[in-house]
Amino acid sequence: MDAIVIQILNGLDKGSAYALIALGLTLIFGTLGVVNFAHGALFMIGAFCAVTFSKFLNLSHIVIDETRKDFLGNPLKVEVPYIYDFFGQATGDAIIDWAVPLSIIFAIPVMIAIGFIMERGLIKHFYKRPHADQILVTFGLAIVLQEVIKYYYGANPIPTPAPAAFAGSFDFGAMLGFDPNQIIYPYWRLVYFAFAAVIIGAVFAFLQFTTFGMVVRAGMADRETVGLLGIDIDKRFTIMFGIAAAVAGLAGVMYAPINSPNYHMGMDFLVLSFVVVVVGGMGSLPGAVLAGFLLGILESFASMAVVLETLPGINQIIIYLVAIIILLTRPRGLMGRKGVMEE
Amino acid sequence: MFGLNKRDFSLLLIVAFLALAAPFILNPFPEGSAMAQFNAGYPDLMQRLVIFGIFAIGFNILFGLTGYLSFGHAAFLGVGSYAAIWMMKLLTMNVIPAIIVSVLIAGLFSLLVGWISLRRSGIYFSILTLAFAQMSYALAYSVLTPITGGETGLQPKYTDARILDAALEPGQQPRANLFGVEMNDGFELVMGNWVFTFNAGYYIAAVVMLIAFYLSIRIFRSPFGMMLRAVKSNQQRMNFTGLNSKPYTLAAFVISGMYAGLAGGLLVAMDTQVGAERMFWTASGEVVLMTILGGAGTLIGPVLGAGFIKYMENIVSKINETILEQWFAFMPDWLGDFMVAIIYPFIGKGWHLTLGLIFMLVVIFLPGGLVEGGQRIGRMFKRKQPQDNTPDASKTPAE
């Protein structure tokens, strides 16, 4: 029982990331009908938003401290972050410590802006071109974004720690009523899961309970009719693209402490997220979320020692295997709608 | 000639001339001059140019004709490579059996993958092929280590049981050969300041490439090729006329898989080593880039694209900051520094950025690739002549 629970928990954080990226992909696909291969790059840019923000908080100036001497007897030069000047040392330290969660505030406008620029500047011109062209141009864009990030931040992963309050792990099993010291789980992964649940809930609530969301859903069902009713559906779809970019970006921001951001993390996640979208059903938002968590958990089950003994190497291929089986037996995916991407 | 019309035959002749004279053409700058770093006439790079040309020609038969975008072709290249290296380990260091077996094994593997993947089309087909390729990569990297060598890869050793070859001295490095002619045999022709390298391996690969190119022309012009184009333009209508398109697409898939296997076998013949990273999905993405960049659906496009990308990968990535500073040394300091600062991100390690930008520009403005670009420039010069409207594959860009 413990072993099963811990595998489910282990699957949750990766599953959350898959679900968030797949949700954004499906939003873009469902609204604009564009297959966005640059979505992984948006996830990566989100993670680098966290890096940039914490670098920004750590910007310092040099102050000469007369009370302390260095080994030559000269007054010691101390680097003091600017943030101390504004908020004092204690508050400043706290802000620097909480850099990752705070960078959400920074990432949302940045990601929405990037989404707008991408949609208006590039993807707008590709609505009438075949899907293959859309895949290719966004694939090219993903390479460009990745290389730009690599140029400015280098090829090495940049460690971006979680706030001290959430560092380390705790005995999650004891809280759930299992034997103590059986299920040790890192705090931040639980935070990530909760965060992902909130974002997913927010997106669904936005689509379900607001007028804007209603119009967008109507546009997803029948774009032309909504247009004929005198609603500027293109504008709303552009906003949805921005929101999808922000969802991917936020997924990246919060993922930074789990996996130090590097320039190719987007591509690593993108391939799997596409598989997730296809398994969930092209164009189905609940399907994307469900498949994301399902495949994340399945992946962690496959890497259990017991399973690996009987089926060696299964953890490497399980997701692809499931995708192949699902695509061949249920062509529309788990929850795919009829008539979406069927040639 | 050879069952080709005049136009195709002259195209074949041009390609043959370019391939056979490559050691001259790719070495236009004298040795030791500042421009010598742009010389691509060294054996390793020339071999790669033609081998990846074969890979892209094969990919083009699938993507260019049928429009099925496979994101997993590197798997066939990898399988072909492994088959070739095992022939070298078990049978003989002669490259002929290695290449033949690599083509056959890659063909069988692509038959299996194609039979399953071709049940879906569009993006689902892309995802299925991608999934198969990633699975092959993951398996080659982990569980299949006894067959694939895992992370270290495989190389022929003197201890291998080569049935047909004489035993080697301990420590002697087995070398790939063609009936005694070793792949890295060759001679250098010195003409004044110029040094031209002629390499046996390159010429073997070039001849194979010419045969592959000839076959692809025949496929393009055959009724079979016409069927494949029909699949691309309207599969549904084709089905309504009572034709089952599956055998045609599957045949195209297997043929392009065999081309990939051939390229993999040749790669092993040239450098006698193989690793799993050859099957990673970025390698599949690379052949997509090559084909689109050159011009999908055209005959010569994929070869041009492969040449362009491999040249960039090997030459542009070698330019570093010091070389750039030398180039702009004649300028005033501030202007030189400015130029270096602007150009630096696009060269050396940043060559992928240049590649990505060029690729995006091509997809946006030139859907027919570099070939279409060439045709547009050609048309600008002879605009006044009446346009000939003969239907020609090289003029229909991929859609």
Side-chain angles (χ1 to χ4, degrees):
Chain A
M1 188 62 199
D2 295 356
I4 292 173
V5 173
I6 199 157
Q7 292 311 327
I8 290 177
L9 286 174
N10 278 339
L12 280 184
D13 63 312
K14 244 188 175 172
S16 316
Y18 293 155
L20 283 177
I21 301 175
L23 184 71
L25 271 175
T26 311
L27 270 182
I28 292 175
F29 183 78
T31 50
L32 301 167
V34 170
V35 182
N36 182 16
F37 253 55
H39 210 67
L42 293 174
F43 175 75
M44 178 221 24
I45 290 178
F48 276 92
C49 277
V51 172
T52 314
F53 193 67
S54 71
K55 270 196 182 163
F56 173 72
L57 289 183
N58 280 308
L59 280 182
S60 350
H61 56 105
I62 290 170
V63 172
I64 296 169
D65 188 349
E66 293 288 353
T67 57
R68 287 149 69 192
K69 304 277 181 195
D70 66 6
F71 64 99
L72 287 175
N74 299 321
L76 191 66
K77 288 175 180 169
V78 191
E79 286 201 358
V80 178
Y82 282 108
I83 200 151
Y84 286 1
D85 301 347
F86 297 115
F87 297 105
Q89 189 157 1
T91 328
D93 271 339
I95 290 177
I96 289 174
D97 184 34
W98 282 75
V100 170
L102 284 177
S103 45
I104 291 174
I105 305 165
F106 168 69
I108 290 178
V110 170
M111 294 312 296
I112 290 182
I114 289 177
F116 277 10
I117 294 168
M118 248 175 89
E119 204 272 338
R120 288 288 94 183
L122 178 71
I123 295 182
K124 187 178 80 174
H125 307 288
F126 274 78
Y127 293 150
K128 296 217 169 88
R129 306 259 297 252
H131 281 306
D133 277 9
Q134 298 169 353
I135 294 178
L136 293 170
V137 79
T138 46
F139 182 57
L141 181 66
I143 297 177
V144 170
L145 291 176
Q146 185 173 313
E147 290 300 314
V148 169
I149 292 288
K150 183 174 150 196
Y151 179 73
Y152 283 107
Y153 293 91
N156 296 326
I158 302 167
T160 316
F166 295 113
S169 355
F170 68 114
D171 196 346
F172 193 44
M175 285 171 67
L176 295 177
F178 294 103
D179 296 337
N181 290 326
Q182 287 300 311
I183 300 172
I184 309 289
Y185 199 65
Y187 278 111
W188 187 257
R189 297 193 177 210
L190 211 61
V191 171
Y192 192 77
F193 171 64
F195 176 77
V198 168
I199 294 277
I200 291 168
V203 169
F204 276 93
F206 178 69
L207 285 176
Q208 212 65 39
F209 301 126
T210 62
T211 319
F212 186 94
M214 188 185 71
V215 174
V216 168
R217 276 187 294 131
M220 281 166 89
D222 190 343
R223 181 182 187 145
E224 221 162 80
T225 311
V226 175
L228 287 175
L229 291 172
I231 295 168
D232 187 356
I233 193 71
D234 285 354
K235 202 161 145 195
R236 287 162 207 248
F237 279 178
T238 308
I239 293 172
M240 283 318 286
F241 194 99
I243 291 175
V247 168
L250 292 183
V253 167
M254 297 295 273
Y255 206 73
I258 299 180
N259 218 340
S260 303
N262 57 15
Y263 72 98
H264 55 74
M265 69 190 290
M267 282 294 190
D268 300 345
F269 266 92
L270 177 81
V271 174
L272 287 170
S273 305
F274 257 102
V275 175
V276 167
V277 169
V278 170
V279 168
M282 212 79 194
S284 157
L285 294 172
V289 174
L290 178 76
F293 282 111
L294 217 61
L295 290 181
I297 292 169
L298 214 59
E299 196 184 13
S300 85
F301 268 111
S303 39
M304 282 167 79
V306 192
V307 181
L308 281 180
E309 269 167 34
T310 42
L311 294 164
I314 188 77
N315 58 333
Q316 309 266 359
I317 61 166
I318 179 81
I319 287 191
Y320 302 110
L321 211 59
V322 169
I324 289 169
I325 294 168
I326 292 221
L327 273 186
L328 295 178
T329 52
R330 280 188 66 93
R332 273 183 213 128
L334 290 176
M335 302 176 80
R337 283 185 295 141
K338 197 179 172 196
V340 178
M341 277 298 280
E342 285 175 356
E343 282 119 316
Chain B
M1 198 86 72
F2 298 133
L4 301 178
N5 65 29
K6 213 171 165 190
R7 208 189 154 99
D8 291 337
F9 186 67
S10 51
L11 182 65
L12 181 66
L13 276 187
I14 293 171
V15 173
F17 170 75
L18 288 179
L20 297 177
F24 291 110
I25 297 166
L26 293 176
N27 255 10
F29 306 111
E31 204 66 17
S33 70
M35 301 298 277
Q37 58 190 315
F38 288 107
N39 282 342
Y42 54 95
D44 186 50
L45 178 55
M46 288 196 298
Q47 289 164 1
R48 268 163 202 280
L49 290 181
V50 290
I51 291 172
F52 279 90
I54 295 173
F55 191 19
I57 291 172
F59 184 79
N60 188 39
I61 290 175
L62 180 70
F63 177 63
L65 287 181
T66 68
Y68 277 79
L69 176 58
S70 157
F71 252 94
H73 251 56
F76 308 126
L77 183 96
V79 168
S81 295
Y82 282 120
I85 205 119
W86 274 108
M87 289 314 284
M88 286 189 171
K89 274 167 134 19
L90 297 178
L91 201 63
T92 166
M93 287 303 288
N94 195 330
V95 294
I96 297 275
I99 289 173
I100 291 173
V101 169
S102 66
V103 172
L104 291 180
I105 299 278
L108 280 179
F109 186 57
S110 59
L111 184 66
L112 173 78
V113 173
W115 189 69
I116 298 173
S117 304
L118 282 167
R119 297 171 69 162
R120 310 302 313 278
S121 60
I123 178 145
Y124 296 105
F125 173 79
S126 306
I127 299 284
L128 276 172
T129 46
L130 178 64
F132 273 111
Q134 283 295 88
M135 264 167 62
S136 320
Y137 165 76
L139 289 178
Y141 218 73
S142 57
V143 189
L144 296 179
T145 302
I147 306 175
T148 61
E151 279 179 52
T152 41
L154 286 178
Q155 277 151 339
K157 296 192 179 73
Y158 70 92
T159 45
D160 295 326
R162 254 177 293 280
I163 303 171
L164 297 181
D165 285 7
L168 295 170
E169 305 274 319
Q172 195 182 349
Q173 185 61 35
R175 292 175 195 281
N177 61 65
L178 179 75
F179 304 115
V181 183
E182 285 183 9
M183 288 299 128
N184 43 10
D185 278 354
F187 62 91
E188 288 188 342
L189 179 67
V190 183
M191 292 169 75
N193 283 331
W194 280 267
V195 178
F196 302 110
T197 319
F198 295 90
N199 170 265
Y202 168 71
Y203 275 101
I204 291 167
V207 168
V208 176
M209 194 272 272
L210 286 177
I211 297 171
F213 186 64
Y214 169 72
L215 282 178
S216 101
I217 299 182
R218 291 302 296 265
I219 290 173
F220 266 67
R221 298 288 178 252
S222 65
F224 171 68
M226 192 54 90
M227 279 294 182
L228 296 182
R229 281 200 200 93
V231 170
K232 179 168 158 182
S233 53
N234 197 334
Q235 193 167 1
Q236 209 168 20
R237 192 174 289 175
M238 194 181 163
N239 292 339
F240 286 164
T241 57
L243 275 161
N244 182 6
S245 58
K246 180 89 185 274
Y248 294 100
T249 46
L250 185 58
F253 192 86
V254 172
I255 290 172
S256 76
M258 286 165 84
Y259 268 80
L262 176 66
L266 276 173
L267 273 181
V268 167
M270 298 307 150
D271 57 8
T272 63
Q273 58 178 0
V274 55
E277 70 285 344
R278 213 169 261 186
M279 305 165 89
F280 196 55
W281 75 272
T282 47
S284 305
E286 199 183 46
V287 72
V288 178
L289 293 186
M290 288 172 181
T291 311
I292 308 284
L293 204 58
T298 64
L299 285 167
I300 188 77
V303 187
L304 289 181
F308 183 79
I309 288 184
K310 283 291 152 189
Y311 182 82
M312 291 234 328
E313 182 182 333
N314 285 278
I315 304 296
V316 177
S317 64
K318 264 194 305 197
I319 307 172
N320 56 27
E321 209 167 356
T322 341
I323 296 174
L324 265 191
E325 274 163 8
Q326 282 171 9
W327 288 356
F328 295 110
F330 69 92
M331 288 182 175
D333 265 0
W334 61 273
L335 190 60
D337 288 349
F338 179 68
M339 294 301 285
V340 170
I342 286 189
I343 297 177
Y344 182 65
F346 297 97
I347 50 132
K349 282 179 187 151
W351 79 274
H352 269 114
L353 180 59
T354 323
L355 178 66
L357 284 174
I358 292 176
F359 180 69
M360 275 178 72
L361 292 177
V362 164
V363 175
I364 295 170
F365 297 111
L366 280 178
L370 296 177
V371 170
E372 192 192 327
Q375 282 167 348
R376 280 194 197 176
I377 293 171
R379 245 175 281 151
M380 258 185 339
F381 283 109
K382 52 176 182 182
R383 187 170 287 163
K384 291 201 175 133
Q385 290 172 11
Q387 295 266 330
D388 59 327
N389 285 325
T390 43
D392 179 6
S394 61
K395 276 189 180 169
T396 35
E399 303 211 3

